[in-house]
Amino acid sequence: MKKTPVIFIGHGSPMLAIDENDLTREMQRIGADILNSPEKPKAILAISAHWYAPGTYIQSAEKPRQVYDMYGFPEELYQLKYPVRGCSDLTKEVCDRLGSDVSINDSWGIDHGTWSVMVHMFPDASIPVVQLSVNSHLRTEQCVEIGRKLAPLREQGYLIWGSGNIVHNLRRIEWNNRGGSDQADHFSKYIVDNVLSGNIDAVINYQEHENASYSVPTPDHYMPLLYCLGAAGEDSATVFNNTCTMGSLSMASFVWA
């Protein structure tokens, strides 16, 4: 079987789930390419910023619950259903590869960092999904190392898929700004350029950039990118949705193949 790609998605606001715009059309395009591929993934290992937990956990539920982990949005968003199945074979493979570093935990589910994007990429929910937590205790280089340990899953037909944001600062949101602030634009460009050039050290050591504290005030939304980098290995990246919005959100997304 041909090795599956690795995907990182900038997901932004939960309203993405019910939006129809250039960002969602690009997600639909990438998803259609995967669905129409002769090597359609057997299942997806999803690493969402919104399962930010004090450990590395993997789900085992046959029918993981949909988590509406956001507040104050239109009722239409809470009525949206994404009835995805789990995949016991993928859960077992992750446990085998990570050993004592991972444990099964079904207290969470499929959160909006995952389903708000997948309703566009894989709208029929035909590909099973298993979420892996983002471990809040890990250093950046350890996130990359976990991704490397999981990379062989790609040769077994599993898609490794991360969801977060390179720039994510909700305290600095500019509601009337359709673009990015200078700080967001500079930091996002710096990370995108280094991902595309394969300069992983710069992405790992993002704190050295002058706009890091503005762009990554907490690491939860940045860390999924690091898991993806590890899983991608030496594969080259292409970028899509390479824009910032609402001042302090970067929607930059990548495919490695």
Side-chain angles (χ1 to χ4, degrees), residues 190 205-210 212:
Y190 172 77
N205 298 304
Y206 70 91
Q207 300 96 330
E208 297 177 4
H209 192 274
E210 61 181 345

Side-chain angles (χ1 to χ4, degrees), residues 192-244:
V192 168
D193 288 349
N194 281 290
V195 169
L196 295 180
S197 65
N199 185 5
I200 294 178
D201 286 344
V203 184
I204 290 174
N205 298 304
Y206 70 91
Q207 300 96 330
E208 297 177 4
H209 192 274
E210 61 181 345
N211 299 130
S213 60
Y214 168 94
S215 302
V216 190
T218 58
D220 46 330
H221 276 68
Y222 188 85
M223 290 169 73
L225 172 65
L226 300 171
Y227 287 81
C228 290
L229 276 175
E234 299 299 316
D235 288 352
S236 59
T238 56
V239 64
F240 64 101
N241 285 349
N242 189 15
T243 186
C244 292

Side-chain angles (χ1 to χ4, degrees), residues 21-33:
N21 53 37
D22 289 344
L23 296 171
T24 60
R25 282 186 284 273
E26 275 295 277
M27 294 173 185
Q28 293 160 10
R29 179 184 66 82
I30 298 294
D33 287 346

Side-chain angles (χ1 to χ4, degrees), residues 30-159:
I30 298 294
D33 287 346
I34 292 170
L35 287 171
N36 295 327
S37 168
E39 292 84 22
K40 178 181 175 181
K42 296 190 294 187
I44 299 170
L45 180 65
I47 305 162
S48 166
H50 290 274
W51 194 15
Y52 189 60
T56 299
Y57 305 128
I58 189 72
Q59 296 174 343
S60 67
E62 181 180 353
K63 294 182 179 179
R65 68 188 181 96
Q66 186 170 347
V67 181
Y68 296 90
D69 54 324
M70 65 281 179
Y71 307 95
F73 288 90
E75 183 62 24
E76 180 184 1
L77 195 58
Y78 302 97
Q79 297 302 319
L80 190 153
K81 305 297 181 185
Y82 193 73
V84 76
R85 294 175 292 114
C87 177
S88 60
D89 288 344
L90 177 53
T91 299
K92 181 179 183 303
E93 288 291 341
V94 171
C95 289
D96 288 347
R97 297 197 177 280
L98 298 186
S100 60
D101 291 333
V102 68
S103 57
I104 291 175
N105 185 329
D106 288 320
S107 64
W108 193 235
I110 305 301
D111 58 57
H112 86 264
T114 296
W115 58 258
S116 70
V117 177
M118 289 196 180
V119 293
H120 296 291
M121 295 189 73
F122 314 114
D124 63 356
S126 63
I127 306 177
V129 177
V130 175
Q131 276 203 198
L132 179 75
S133 69
V134 174
N135 188 336
S136 62
H137 291 167
L138 295 185
R139 300 186 304 274
T140 51
E141 61 270 21
Q142 291 175 305
C143 296
V144 174
E145 184 56 33
I146 285 187
R148 289 177 177 143
K149 290 180 179 179
L150 295 172
L153 296 174
R154 300 173 59 195
E155 299 175 358
Q156 298 174 253
Y158 298 113
L159 177 68

